mmCIF file of all heavy atoms in Angstrom:
data_model
loop_
_atom_site.group_PDB
_atom_site.id
_atom_site.type_symbol
_atom_site.label_atom_id
_atom_site.label_comp_id
_atom_site.label_asym_id
_atom_site.label_seq_id
_atom_site.Cartn_x
_atom_site.Cartn_y
_atom_site.Cartn_z
ATOM 1 N N LEU A 43 -8.410 -134.579 -2.010
ATOM 2 C CA LEU A 43 -9.320 -133.442 -1.919
ATOM 3 C C LEU A 43 -10.477 -133.727 -0.971
ATOM 4 O O LEU A 43 -10.850 -132.880 -0.164
ATOM 5 C CB LEU A 43 -9.836 -133.073 -3.309
ATOM 6 C CG LEU A 43 -8.776 -132.519 -4.257
ATOM 7 C CD1 LEU A 43 -9.324 -132.430 -5.672
ATOM 8 C CD2 LEU A 43 -8.256 -131.179 -3.772
ATOM 9 N N ARG A 44 -11.014 -134.915 -1.046
ATOM 10 C CA ARG A 44 -12.132 -135.270 -0.158
ATOM 11 C C ARG A 44 -11.674 -135.330 1.299
ATOM 12 O O ARG A 44 -12.374 -134.877 2.194
ATOM 13 C CB ARG A 44 -12.770 -136.564 -0.614
ATOM 14 C CG ARG A 44 -13.439 -136.400 -1.977
ATOM 15 C CD ARG A 44 -14.570 -137.334 -2.203
ATOM 16 N NE ARG A 44 -15.165 -137.142 -3.508
ATOM 17 C CZ ARG A 44 -16.115 -136.247 -3.780
ATOM 18 N NH1 ARG A 44 -16.562 -135.452 -2.836
ATOM 19 N NH2 ARG A 44 -16.614 -136.156 -4.994
ATOM 20 N N GLU A 45 -10.494 -135.852 1.538
ATOM 21 C CA GLU A 45 -9.967 -135.908 2.903
ATOM 22 C C GLU A 45 -9.619 -134.508 3.417
ATOM 23 O O GLU A 45 -9.698 -134.248 4.621
ATOM 24 C CB GLU A 45 -8.739 -136.815 2.979
ATOM 25 C CG GLU A 45 -8.096 -136.881 4.352
ATOM 26 C CD GLU A 45 -9.057 -137.203 5.498
ATOM 27 O OE1 GLU A 45 -9.985 -138.017 5.303
ATOM 28 O OE2 GLU A 45 -8.888 -136.622 6.591
ATOM 29 N N SER A 46 -9.274 -133.601 2.508
ATOM 30 C CA SER A 46 -8.915 -132.246 2.932
ATOM 31 C C SER A 46 -10.081 -131.552 3.629
ATOM 32 O O SER A 46 -9.860 -130.677 4.477
ATOM 33 C CB SER A 46 -8.431 -131.418 1.746
ATOM 34 O OG SER A 46 -9.508 -131.056 0.892
ATOM 35 N N VAL A 47 -11.300 -131.941 3.314
ATOM 36 C CA VAL A 47 -12.464 -131.347 3.976
ATOM 37 C C VAL A 47 -12.415 -131.659 5.474
ATOM 38 O O VAL A 47 -12.528 -130.764 6.317
ATOM 39 C CB VAL A 47 -13.783 -131.844 3.346
ATOM 40 C CG1 VAL A 47 -14.986 -131.303 4.113
ATOM 41 C CG2 VAL A 47 -13.856 -131.463 1.873
ATOM 42 N N ASN A 48 -12.224 -132.930 5.808
ATOM 43 C CA ASN A 48 -12.128 -133.313 7.222
ATOM 44 C C ASN A 48 -10.933 -132.656 7.895
ATOM 45 O O ASN A 48 -11.032 -132.177 9.033
ATOM 46 C CB ASN A 48 -12.035 -134.837 7.362
ATOM 47 C CG ASN A 48 -13.310 -135.519 6.956
ATOM 48 O OD1 ASN A 48 -14.400 -134.986 7.130
ATOM 49 N ND2 ASN A 48 -13.184 -136.714 6.402
ATOM 50 N N SER A 49 -9.824 -132.616 7.202
ATOM 51 C CA SER A 49 -8.606 -132.019 7.750
ATOM 52 C C SER A 49 -8.810 -130.533 8.045
ATOM 53 O O SER A 49 -8.416 -130.043 9.110
ATOM 54 C CB SER A 49 -7.455 -132.223 6.768
ATOM 55 O OG SER A 49 -6.305 -131.575 7.196
ATOM 56 N N GLU A 50 -9.418 -129.821 7.126
ATOM 57 C CA GLU A 50 -9.644 -128.382 7.333
ATOM 58 C C GLU A 50 -10.647 -128.131 8.460
ATOM 59 O O GLU A 50 -10.495 -127.197 9.243
ATOM 60 C CB GLU A 50 -10.112 -127.701 6.051
ATOM 61 C CG GLU A 50 -9.019 -127.458 5.054
ATOM 62 C CD GLU A 50 -7.853 -126.641 5.599
ATOM 63 O OE1 GLU A 50 -8.076 -125.582 6.236
ATOM 64 O OE2 GLU A 50 -6.702 -127.069 5.390
ATOM 65 N N PHE A 51 -11.686 -128.963 8.555
ATOM 66 C CA PHE A 51 -12.634 -128.804 9.662
ATOM 67 C C PHE A 51 -11.945 -129.049 11.005
ATOM 68 O O PHE A 51 -12.226 -128.358 11.991
ATOM 69 C CB PHE A 51 -13.847 -129.724 9.497
ATOM 70 C CG PHE A 51 -14.988 -129.083 8.755
ATOM 71 C CD1 PHE A 51 -15.266 -129.442 7.452
ATOM 72 C CD2 PHE A 51 -15.788 -128.126 9.358
ATOM 73 C CE1 PHE A 51 -16.323 -128.863 6.756
ATOM 74 C CE2 PHE A 51 -16.838 -127.528 8.679
ATOM 75 C CZ PHE A 51 -17.107 -127.897 7.376
ATOM 76 N N LYS A 52 -11.025 -130.013 11.053
ATOM 77 C CA LYS A 52 -10.270 -130.261 12.293
ATOM 78 C C LYS A 52 -9.406 -129.054 12.646
ATOM 79 O O LYS A 52 -9.352 -128.633 13.806
ATOM 80 C CB LYS A 52 -9.406 -131.514 12.155
ATOM 81 C CG LYS A 52 -10.195 -132.799 12.187
ATOM 82 C CD LYS A 52 -9.301 -134.011 11.977
ATOM 83 C CE LYS A 52 -10.130 -135.272 11.861
ATOM 84 N NZ LYS A 52 -9.332 -136.443 11.507
ATOM 85 N N LYS A 53 -8.721 -128.492 11.658
ATOM 86 C CA LYS A 53 -7.887 -127.310 11.897
ATOM 87 C C LYS A 53 -8.739 -126.142 12.390
ATOM 88 O O LYS A 53 -8.357 -125.429 13.323
ATOM 89 C CB LYS A 53 -7.156 -126.897 10.616
ATOM 90 C CG LYS A 53 -6.063 -127.836 10.190
ATOM 91 C CD LYS A 53 -5.482 -127.371 8.869
ATOM 92 C CE LYS A 53 -4.544 -128.399 8.268
ATOM 93 N NZ LYS A 53 -4.083 -127.993 6.925
ATOM 94 N N LYS A 54 -9.886 -125.952 11.769
ATOM 95 C CA LYS A 54 -10.771 -124.861 12.161
ATOM 96 C C LYS A 54 -11.287 -125.074 13.576
ATOM 97 O O LYS A 54 -11.326 -124.139 14.382
ATOM 98 C CB LYS A 54 -11.933 -124.734 11.180
ATOM 99 C CG LYS A 54 -12.863 -123.577 11.476
ATOM 100 C CD LYS A 54 -13.914 -123.451 10.386
ATOM 101 C CE LYS A 54 -14.828 -122.279 10.653
ATOM 102 N NZ LYS A 54 -15.977 -122.634 11.490
ATOM 103 N N HIS A 55 -11.678 -126.293 13.886
ATOM 104 C CA HIS A 55 -12.180 -126.600 15.225
ATOM 105 C C HIS A 55 -11.117 -126.300 16.278
ATOM 106 O O HIS A 55 -11.413 -125.718 17.332
ATOM 107 C CB HIS A 55 -12.623 -128.066 15.304
ATOM 108 C CG HIS A 55 -13.131 -128.471 16.638
ATOM 109 N ND1 HIS A 55 -14.325 -128.020 17.150
ATOM 110 C CD2 HIS A 55 -12.591 -129.265 17.586
ATOM 111 C CE1 HIS A 55 -14.494 -128.525 18.350
ATOM 112 N NE2 HIS A 55 -13.457 -129.290 18.643
ATOM 113 N N GLU A 56 -9.881 -126.666 16.016
ATOM 114 C CA GLU A 56 -8.786 -126.384 16.957
ATOM 115 C C GLU A 56 -8.571 -124.874 17.090
ATOM 116 O O GLU A 56 -8.359 -124.365 18.193
ATOM 117 C CB GLU A 56 -7.497 -127.084 16.523
ATOM 118 C CG GLU A 56 -7.520 -128.580 16.736
ATOM 119 C CD GLU A 56 -7.753 -128.963 18.192
ATOM 120 O OE1 GLU A 56 -7.071 -128.413 19.084
ATOM 121 O OE2 GLU A 56 -8.632 -129.810 18.442
ATOM 122 N N ALA A 57 -8.605 -124.167 15.985
ATOM 123 C CA ALA A 57 -8.409 -122.718 16.029
ATOM 124 C C ALA A 57 -9.530 -122.038 16.807
ATOM 125 O O ALA A 57 -9.290 -121.075 17.551
ATOM 126 C CB ALA A 57 -8.338 -122.154 14.611
#
Side-chain angles (χ1 to χ4, degrees):
L43 293 169
R44 294 207 180 274
E45 178 51 37
S46 73
V47 176
N48 292 327
S49 175
E50 283 304 312
F51 269 106
K52 287 177 186 173
K53 289 176 190 175
K54 183 175 181 272
H55 179 70
E56 287 301 311

